[in-house]
Coordinates of all heavy atoms in Angstrom, one line a residue:
Chain A
Y296 N -28.0 -30.1 43.1 CA -27.6 -29.7 41.7 C -28.3 -28.4 41.3 O -29.5 -28.2 41.6 CB -28.1 -30.8 40.7 CG -27.3 -32.1 40.8 CD1 -27.7 -33.1 41.5 CD2 -26.1 -32.1 40.1 CE1 -27.0 -34.3 41.6 CE2 -25.4 -33.3 40.2 CZ -25.8 -34.4 40.9 OH -25.1 -35.6 41.0
M297 N -27.5 -27.5 40.7 CA -28.1 -26.3 40.2 C -27.5 -26.1 38.8 O -26.4 -26.5 38.5 CB -27.7 -25.1 41.1 CG -28.3 -25.2 42.5 SD -27.9 -23.7 43.5 CE -29.1 -22.5 42.9
Y298 N -28.3 -25.4 38.0 CA -28.0 -25.3 36.6 C -28.3 -23.8 36.1 O -29.2 -23.2 36.6 CB -28.8 -26.2 35.7 CG -28.8 -27.6 36.1 CD1 -29.6 -28.1 37.2 CD2 -28.0 -28.5 35.5 CE1 -29.6 -29.4 37.6 CE2 -28.0 -29.9 35.8 CZ -28.8 -30.3 36.9 OH -28.8 -31.7 37.2
W299 N -27.5 -23.4 35.1 CA -27.8 -22.2 34.4 C -28.0 -22.5 32.9 O -27.2 -23.2 32.3 CB -26.7 -21.2 34.5 CG -26.7 -20.3 35.7 CD1 -25.9 -20.3 36.8 CD2 -27.7 -19.2 36.0 NE1 -26.3 -19.4 37.7 CE2 -27.4 -18.7 37.2 CE3 -28.7 -18.7 35.2 CZ2 -28.1 -17.6 37.8 CZ3 -29.5 -17.6 35.8 CH2 -29.1 -17.1 37.1
Y300 N -29.2 -22.1 32.4 CA -29.5 -22.3 31.0 C -29.7 -20.9 30.3 O -30.1 -20.0 31.0 CB -30.8 -23.1 30.8 CG -30.7 -24.5 31.3 CD1 -31.1 -24.8 32.7 CD2 -30.2 -25.6 30.5 CE1 -31.0 -26.1 33.1 CE2 -30.1 -26.9 31.0 CZ -30.6 -27.1 32.3 OH -30.5 -28.4 32.7
R301 N -29.6 -20.9 29.0 CA -30.0 -19.8 28.3 C -31.1 -20.3 27.2 O -31.0 -21.4 26.8 CB -28.9 -19.0 27.5 CG -28.1 -19.8 26.6 CD -27.0 -18.9 25.9 NE -27.6 -18.0 25.0 CZ -26.9 -17.0 24.4 NH1 -25.6 -16.9 24.6 NH2 -27.5 -16.2 23.5
Q302 N -32.1 -19.4 27.0 CA -33.2 -19.8 26.1 C -33.2 -18.8 25.0 O -33.3 -17.5 25.2 CB -34.5 -19.8 26.8 CG -35.6 -20.2 26.0 CD -36.9 -20.2 26.7 OE1 -37.3 -19.2 27.4 NE2 -37.8 -21.2 26.5
D303 N -33.1 -19.2 23.8 CA -33.0 -18.4 22.6 C -34.0 -19.0 21.6 O -34.2 -20.2 21.5 CB -31.7 -18.4 21.9 CG -30.6 -17.9 22.9 OD1 -30.6 -16.7 23.3 OD2 -29.8 -18.7 23.4
P304 N -34.6 -18.1 20.7 CA -35.6 -18.6 19.7 C -34.9 -19.6 18.8 O -33.8 -19.5 18.4 CB -35.9 -17.3 18.9 CG -35.6 -16.2 19.9 CD -34.5 -16.6 20.8
G305 N -35.7 -20.7 18.5 CA -35.2 -21.8 17.7 C -34.3 -22.8 18.3 O -33.9 -23.8 17.8
H306 N -34.0 -22.6 19.7 CA -33.2 -23.5 20.4 C -34.0 -23.9 21.6 O -34.7 -23.2 22.2 CB -31.8 -22.8 20.9 CG -31.0 -22.5 19.7 ND1 -30.1 -23.3 19.2 CD2 -30.8 -21.3 19.1 CE1 -29.4 -22.7 18.2 NE2 -29.9 -21.5 18.1
G307 N -33.7 -25.1 22.1 CA -34.2 -25.5 23.4 C -33.3 -24.8 24.4 O -32.4 -24.1 24.1
L308 N -33.7 -25.0 25.7 CA -32.8 -24.5 26.7 C -31.4 -25.1 26.6 O -31.3 -26.4 26.4 CB -33.3 -24.8 28.1 CG -34.4 -23.8 28.6 CD1 -35.8 -24.2 28.0 CD2 -34.5 -23.8 30.1
R309 N -30.4 -24.3 26.6 CA -29.0 -24.9 26.5 C -28.3 -24.6 27.8 O -28.3 -23.5 28.3 CB -28.3 -24.2 25.3 CG -29.0 -24.6 23.9 CD -28.2 -23.9 22.8 NE -28.4 -22.5 22.7 CZ -27.8 -21.7 21.9 NH1 -26.9 -22.2 21.1 NH2 -28.0 -20.4 21.9
L310 N -27.5 -25.7 28.1 CA -26.8 -25.6 29.4 C -25.6 -24.8 29.3 O -24.7 -25.0 28.4 CB -26.5 -27.1 29.8 CG -25.8 -27.2 31.2 CD1 -26.7 -26.8 32.3 CD2 -25.4 -28.7 31.4
I311 N -25.4 -23.9 30.2 CA -24.2 -23.0 30.3 C -23.2 -23.6 31.2 O -22.1 -23.9 30.9 CB -24.6 -21.6 30.7 CG1 -25.7 -21.0 29.8 CG2 -23.3 -20.7 30.7 CD1 -26.2 -19.6 30.3
H312 N -23.6 -23.7 32.5 CA -22.8 -24.4 33.5 C -23.7 -25.0 34.5 O -24.9 -24.7 34.6 CB -22.0 -23.3 34.3 CG -20.7 -22.8 33.6 ND1 -19.5 -23.5 33.6 CD2 -20.5 -21.7 32.9 CE1 -18.6 -22.7 33.0 NE2 -19.2 -21.7 32.5
Y313 N -23.2 -26.0 35.2 CA -23.9 -26.6 36.3 C -23.1 -26.8 37.6 O -21.8 -26.7 37.4 CB -24.7 -27.8 35.9 CG -23.8 -29.0 35.6 CD1 -23.5 -30.0 36.6 CD2 -23.2 -29.2 34.4 CE1 -22.7 -31.1 36.3 CE2 -22.4 -30.3 34.1 CZ -22.1 -31.2 35.0 OH -21.4 -32.2 34.7
S314 N -23.7 -27.0 38.7 CA -23.0 -27.3 39.9 C -23.5 -28.5 40.6 O -24.8 -28.7 40.6 CB -23.1 -26.1 40.8 OG -22.6 -26.4 42.1
Y315 N -22.7 -29.4 41.1 CA -23.1 -30.5 41.8 C -22.7 -30.5 43.3 O -22.7 -31.5 44.0 CB -22.6 -31.8 41.2 CG -21.1 -31.7 40.8 CD1 -20.1 -32.3 41.6 CD2 -20.7 -31.2 39.5 CE1 -18.8 -32.2 41.2 CE2 -19.4 -31.1 39.2 CZ -18.4 -31.7 40.0 OH -17.1 -31.6 39.6
G316 N -22.4 -29.3 43.7 CA -22.2 -29.0 45.2 C -21.4 -27.8 45.3 O -20.9 -27.1 44.4

Side-chain angles (χ1 to χ4, degrees):
Chain A
Y296 289 97
M297 297 185 75
Y298 306 82
W299 275 109
Y300 295 94
R301 59 177 290 172
Q302 185 181 43
D303 304 290
H306 296 272
L308 278 82
R309 292 183 292 173
L310 181 65
I311 305 171
H312 282 278
Y313 67 97
S314 169
Y315 44 97

